[in-house]
Amino acid sequence: RKATLGLPPCTASTPPKASQRGDSKRKEPRHQGSSTAHMSKLARRLADTRRWLDSIVIGQRLCPFAPPVRQPPALRLRASVAECSCGVAAELAEEAAALRLGLDSPGTEGSPETSLLVLGGTLDNGALGWRELIALSWKLQAEVIVDRGHAEHLQIVLFHPAATHSTYAEAGGPADAGDFTIRSPHPVVQLLREVDVLEGVRSHPDAEGIPGRNRVRLRGQGVAACEERLMRCIAAGEEA
């Protein structure tokens, strides 16, 4: 379905006046320090996501199709630098084009099979909660997938630190360990190729039953164990 968020448009930040900038000798170190810190945050976000893939998605056998595409070039892992929804759409459009290249020109060297766009915790000057990510996905589906002709070739999948399977789950309500099957250290928009999804369904004896079995298994482990395992993906990066 086609939907928009009604979010404010991208706006460039206004450069400071000369009187606010100070001399160039002072400005350069501040700029470099800010840039270094920003790059460090992006690198940690990717490292957290790699740990999540290894220890939870693959380690807990949540997706039997993940191990073969864990490494590049099959996997593209990208930290978003966007500060607004249209910026995310532009980044995802680039990822979609990369996946389509491999589909349209089979055998293209370095073509990926899946892409994970890892977002930050805020977007459009507000917190990027689970429901906000779902709303964002409507925009991405309409503007990136449908409008650009990818509807028959690519799928969007969402993960989030507070993701829930129930649409009506309220914040602060009873915790469900089954929700950790779709929880990640940071908000993630994944692109899958339709051809790979169909092949997975054909090759697996019960692909449709995977999500249900995963929820049952994690519920058997309990919320505390699942929450601790997810937090370790982030804590390991903070200690490094």
Side-chain angles (χ1 to χ4, degrees):
R1 60 182 175 181
K2 188 168 183 178
T4 57
L5 293 178
L7 295 172
C10 289
T11 54
S13 58
T14 305
K17 297 179 180 179
S19 60
Q20 297 174 319
R21 291 198 303 261
D23 58 59
S24 59
K25 291 183 180 180
R26 291 184 180 178
K27 180 185 177 183
E28 184 175 351
R30 287 203 303 270
H31 175 75
Q32 289 178 341
S34 175
S35 177
T36 300
H38 179 63
M39 293 304 295
S40 178
K41 288 182 179 180
L42 297 180
R44 286 199 300 270
R45 201 188 301 166
L46 293 181
D48 294 345
T49 303
R50 292 189 186 97
R51 281 187 287 271
W52 166 68
L53 287 172
D54 291 334
S55 65
I56 297 180
V57 176
I58 295 176
Q60 292 298 311
R61 306 185 307 280
L62 298 182
C63 180
F65 314 112
V69 295
R70 168 60 182 87
Q71 300 297 334
L75 170 67
R76 278 175 64 94
L77 194 58
R78 175 175 180 175
S80 171
V81 298
E83 296 181 353
C84 60
S85 58
C86 53
V88 175
E91 293 176 335
L92 194 68
E94 293 175 355
E95 298 305 300
L99 266 63
R100 278 299 300 270
L101 179 62
L103 292 173
D104 297 339
S105 302
T108 301
E109 184 178 356
S111 60
E113 297 179 34
T114 185
S115 174
L116 273 68
L117 182 61
V118 187
L119 310 182
T122 59
L123 196 70
D124 291 298
N125 299 317
L128 183 60
W130 173 234
R131 292 188 178 183
E132 287 74 23
L133 182 62
I134 292 175
L136 173 63
S137 75
W138 301 339
K139 176 184 178 72
L140 299 177
Q141 177 68 23
E143 298 182 5
V144 177
I145 303 301
V146 176
D147 291 353
R148 293 174 182 265
H150 301 314
E152 296 182 0
H153 304 280
L154 303 177
Q155 293 184 14
I156 289 177
V157 180
L158 305 178
F159 300 92
H160 190 279
T164 61
H165 287 285
S166 173
T167 306
Y168 305 103
E170 295 292 339
D176 181 359
D179 290 335
F180 284 84
T181 60
I182 54 173
R183 291 191 177 183
S184 55
H186 306 280
V188 170
V189 179
Q190 180 181 16
L191 285 179
L192 293 173
R193 303 189 309 184
E194 183 73 20
V195 63
D196 297 325
V197 174
L198 294 177
E199 176 59 28
V201 171
R202 284 193 294 265
S203 64
H204 196 279
D206 185 19
E208 292 184 357
I210 292 174
R213 289 194 298 272
N214 285 340
R215 290 195 293 271
V216 170
R217 188 168 68 255
L218 293 193
R219 284 167 182 158
Q221 297 174 4
V223 171
C226 293
E227 192 169 48
E228 180 183 359
R229 188 161 50 228
L230 183 61
M231 291 305 298
R232 281 202 301 267
C233 296
I234 301 174
E238 294 175 345
E239 295 169 359

